[in-house]
Amino acid sequence: DAGVIQSPRHEVTEMGQEVTLRCKPISGHNSLFWYRQTMMRGLELLIYFNNNVPIDDSGMPEDRFSAKMPNASFSTLKIQPSEPRDSAVYFCASRPGRTSYNEQFFGPGTRLTVL
Amino acid sequence: GDSVTQMEGPVTLSEEAFLTINCTYTATGYPSLFWYVQYPGEGLQLLLKATKADDKGSNKGFEATYRKETTSFHLEKGSVQVSDSAVYFCALALSGSQGNLIFGKGTKLSVKP
């Protein structure tokens, strides 16, 4: 099993540019989560999906952030326009079933630097 | 509201020392409790979990016991190794929930040879 796949692993961009982060969850998993991790704020949940439907996006910082899950095997997190304060490591995680006590499997993360 | 509080780090220990990382929680009902570990440059991975009171989760020499009377789930290891250096996150899942885990802020552990 390949695990959760994220791309790119590293992204450096300039302020104002659009950034798209991609995630392929583990096959058969029903839930997908996007997190952001920074030194200052720690690990923050941005949004999660159950069966491709967004359930809770209250963690999305502002309208510049959007996430989609067009099918069970792919999700994107888009930032437009990007700002230096968006610099962070972004993690995608997937979970089998919809029950919260099932294990979440994390991807390796995308390190985003906005100059 | 529901929350997890874990001891602030960083924690620095010598190899073979005893480790305790404290974790307490506030939750309605009967949550399930977890410890996740994040090694440098990687995503989080499940270390151990316990789904009901008095259960003990264990893995790789780490243990934690679900204590309902003290609402705690402290992580312990009898003899740490340099390879245990990582960030440790305590988390809870609400009973019957289909939602996310509630994570603590994480505790960084550094083990020196």
Side-chain angles (χ1 to χ4, degrees), chain A residues 88-103:
Chain A
V89 180
Y90 291 81
F91 290 103
C92 175
S94 70
R95 179 184 72 193
R98 294 177 294 169
T99 311
S100 60
Y101 56 74
N102 290 344
E103 178 180 354

Side-chain angles (χ1 to χ4, degrees), chain A residues 9 33 35 37 43 45 48 50 91 95 98-101 103-104 106-108, chain B residues 32 34 36 38 41-44 46 49 89 93-94 97-101 103:
Chain A
R9 293 294 310 275
F33 304 80
Y35 294 89
Q37 187 177 41
L43 187 68
L45 175 68
Y48 75 92
N50 281 346
F91 290 103
R95 179 184 72 193
R98 294 177 294 169
T99 311
S100 60
Y101 56 74
E103 178 180 354
Q104 291 188 22
F106 281 73
Chain B
S32 296
F34 305 79
Y36 277 76
Q38 183 181 27
E42 299 182 10
L44 281 69
L46 181 65
K49 72 178 185 181
F89 292 87
L94 297 175
S97 169
Q98 296 184 8
N100 188 36
L101 295 172
F103 283 95

Side-chain angles (χ1 to χ4, degrees), chain A residues 29-43:
Chain A
H29 283 193
N30 300 93
S31 301
L32 183 139
F33 304 80
W34 282 101
Y35 294 89
R36 178 173 67 177
Q37 187 177 41
T38 61
M39 290 291 291
M40 292 296 294
R41 301 173 69 90
L43 187 68

Side-chain angles (χ1 to χ4, degrees), chain A residues 36 38 61-62 64-65 79 81-90 112-114:
Chain A
R36 178 173 67 177
T38 61
E62 47 199 273
R64 298 184 297 108
F65 286 68
I79 308 172
S82 58
E83 297 183 3
R85 61 192 168 121
D86 301 330
S87 298
V89 180
Y90 291 81
L112 173 65
T113 302
V114 183

